[in-house]
Amino acid sequence: MFAHDAGRPPQCTLAEESWEHHLLKLEMAGAIRAAGWHADMEVAAHDGTWRADVMATSPDGERRMAWEAQLSPITVDDIRARTARYRAHGIGVCWVSPHARAPLWMGEVPSIRVRPPLDDDPGPWMVDDGLAGFDPAGGRWEFRVEPLPRFVDWVLRGSLITRRALPDYRRVSRTVEDVYEIHVRDLWWTSRKSADAQVEYERLRLRREAAARAREAERQERAAAAARRRSERAAEHQRRRAEAAERGRKARAAEEERGRAARREAAQRRQAEEERRLAREERERARRAALERDAARIAAAWWGRLSPAQVEEMFAAVREEAEEDGVVLGDPGAREGVPAFAYGVPLHGGGLYGVVRPCPSLAVLSPQLAFQRIFVRNAREAHELTSGGIPPWRIRDLELPDSR
């Protein structure tokens, strides 16, 4: 089961719902608790008219608000009806969609769209749609993007309310990844300040339009009088046109000169940037050359951090792991590191099984390490390798005691 519907069974377990649905419910519950409210999952009405994914209850027990993770398709009429059932019980509600595109009911009921963090991003879920502020200067609603925990806290504290956009302000634009989008939103989560700003802007707009109509009437009256004088002003008009043409010629000449100057400056900037790039490349070549000269000494110091017993302990741990994988490793002999693997020791068993303890300082000289399984003693050594540019998923921490 991917989401709720009016006829869903009275019990809903993790086994019956998608992982995405369950994860979103946990995120909402955590945000509610972080805001100081109580959060309970799968709370049903006594009469069976609704069942909330997550029910937020104020510390004094006086207020409740349902948070619904809506993943499956639902019509606008159905979601309005479910919202009305909550309101009939004195319960607020916020519908939450994790889809990449806004569902049809976005902006029809109190709702938001959220996006999870990227795989390598430990940050929070973000509210990407449904939250807006009114720009009194531009006279339009603008999307706001905020962390989900902050949004939940604002809603529960009453800092955010739902407010309908007036008819002339329902079309909202934004650019996402260089793509210009236009959306129609009827209902927003917003601040009282923004809600008041929309009303005030509309009031001023109507006043401006009335003033514009008055000015247009006056302009027409002046145009009628000006028509009677037009013949008298013909000569003056021709003179001014000639002067304007001369000014235009001079302006174009000045603009062309500014363009030439701008192109010269751009060429100078490109040349300076190229020189900086070449200098950076030269510094990098020098750094790599220094590493290559001192590689043997650096590697010896790296392996010198371990006693012979610790070295043997580490190779024994690798052999045990290989046996669990069904691989029989060949004996590496003298345990000598290979320069091609940043002085790590390659182990073979029907092919290259992995590299034991390459030197982090020399990893930049061995780009092929990024494609090998790498064994280290513990988390500290793993951190040194990731700092040297090795992907963390390539590193196997053997969880052995720290070296001396």
Side-chain angles (χ1 to χ4, degrees):
M1 178 177 297
F2 287 91
H4 301 304
D5 54 43
R8 66 179 180 160
Q11 298 296 329
C12 184
T13 65
L14 176 59
E16 297 172 319
E17 66 182 2
S18 70
W19 172 245
E20 182 183 19
H21 188 194
H22 187 70
L23 181 59
L24 179 53
K25 287 162 58 176
L26 291 176
E27 290 292 332
M28 293 190 300
I32 291 167
R33 293 175 182 131
W37 283 43
H38 303 292
D40 299 290
M41 293 189 183
E42 299 296 333
V43 177
H46 295 302
D47 58 5
T49 55
W50 51 260
R51 186 182 190 87
D53 278 331
V54 185
M55 180 65 74
T57 306
S58 63
D60 59 8
E62 294 295 323
R63 290 180 294 160
R64 290 192 296 170
M65 182 172 181
W67 295 79
E68 290 283 2
Q70 187 66 33
L71 279 71
S72 64
I74 184 172
T75 67
V76 173
D77 289 340
D78 285 344
I79 205 167
R80 282 175 174 168
R82 292 176 63 183
T83 301
R85 288 198 290 271
Y86 278 117
R87 288 175 178 166
H89 285 76
I91 298 173
V93 62
C94 181
W95 299 90
V96 182
S97 169
H99 295 307
R101 298 184 63 84
L104 294 177
W105 44 263
M106 180 63 62
E108 300 293 333
V109 293
S111 54
I112 57 174
R113 183 168 59 84
V114 298
R115 53 180 166 82
L118 299 176
D119 293 340
D120 58 352
D121 182 3
W125 287 53
M126 301 298 292
V127 176
D128 196 42
D129 196 347
L131 174 64
F134 190 83
D135 177 14
R140 60 182 179 270
W141 288 99
E142 294 182 339
F143 286 92
R144 297 286 190 265
V145 178
E146 294 289 347
L148 177 61
R150 183 180 300 168
F151 171 83
V152 171
D153 180 73
W154 285 347
V155 170
L156 297 182
R157 287 196 293 109
S159 299
L160 293 179
I161 58 175
T162 53
R163 184 68 73 219
R164 294 200 176 276
L166 295 175
D168 288 338
Y169 311 106
R170 289 174 182 167
R171 288 172 63 84
V172 185
S173 65
R174 69 172 173 180
T175 301
V176 180
E177 296 181 351
D178 297 330
V179 177
Y180 181 76
E181 301 177 347
I182 296 180
H183 304 272
V184 177
R185 294 289 183 269
D186 182 54
L187 188 68
W188 292 106
W189 283 101
T190 190
S191 66
R192 287 179 172 81
K193 180 179 179 180
S194 284
D196 294 341
Q198 177 187 225
V199 174
E200 178 64 13
Y201 187 88
E202 175 69 1
R203 184 183 69 82
L204 293 176
R205 185 182 70 85
L206 295 176
R207 178 186 294 179
R208 288 192 298 270
E209 290 179 353
R213 288 191 295 270
R215 288 193 300 271
E216 177 61 18
E218 183 181 354
R219 186 196 66 79
Q220 292 178 3
E221 292 178 2
R222 291 195 304 269
R228 294 188 295 269
R229 301 190 299 270
R230 190 171 293 116
S231 59
E232 300 173 1
R233 296 163 50 189
E236 178 67 13
H237 179 67
Q238 290 298 326
R239 183 183 65 81
R240 291 180 178 178
R241 285 188 61 183
E243 291 177 351
E246 179 62 16
R247 289 194 299 270
R249 184 191 65 78
K250 292 180 179 179
R252 288 192 295 274
E255 181 63 24
E256 290 175 359
E257 178 57 31
R258 288 193 294 270
R260 287 191 291 271
R263 289 190 290 274
R264 288 194 298 270
E265 292 177 0
Q268 291 170 356
R269 287 194 297 270
R270 288 193 297 270
Q271 180 179 356
E273 179 59 30
E274 178 65 13
E275 291 174 354
R276 288 193 292 271
R277 183 186 67 79
L278 293 174
R280 288 195 299 269
E281 291 179 354
E282 181 60 29
R283 289 194 297 271
E284 179 62 17
R285 284 193 293 270
R287 186 176 73 88
R288 286 175 173 266
L291 282 177
E292 290 173 355
R293 287 195 303 270
D294 296 339
R297 179 184 58 79
I298 295 172
W302 167 248
W303 281 97
R305 287 160 55 172
L306 301 182
S307 67
Q310 289 173 318
V311 171
E312 291 306 319
E313 177 188 34
M314 187 173 184
F315 278 93
V318 175
R319 283 195 297 273
E320 290 180 4
E321 183 154 320
E323 290 174 359
E324 293 178 0
D325 293 338
V327 176
V328 178
L329 297 178
D331 189 352
R335 311 283 196 260
E336 293 182 354
V338 176
F341 294 109
Y343 286 84
V345 179
L347 296 180
H348 297 269
L352 181 58
Y353 179 70
V355 179
V356 177
R357 206 168 177 268
C359 181
S361 301
L362 302 177
V364 69
L365 302 179
S366 303
Q368 64 272 26
L369 283 177
F371 307 98
Q372 307 299 330
R373 180 186 300 180
I374 297 173
F375 295 92
V376 296
R377 286 187 63 84
N378 48 41
R380 182 178 61 78
E381 292 188 353
H383 176 71
E384 291 185 61
L385 277 171
T386 56
S387 298
I390 302 301
W393 56 86
R394 293 290 183 184
I395 301 173
R396 172 67 176 95
D397 176 8
L398 297 173
E399 299 181 358
L400 297 174
D402 202 356
S403 60
R404 66 178 189 274

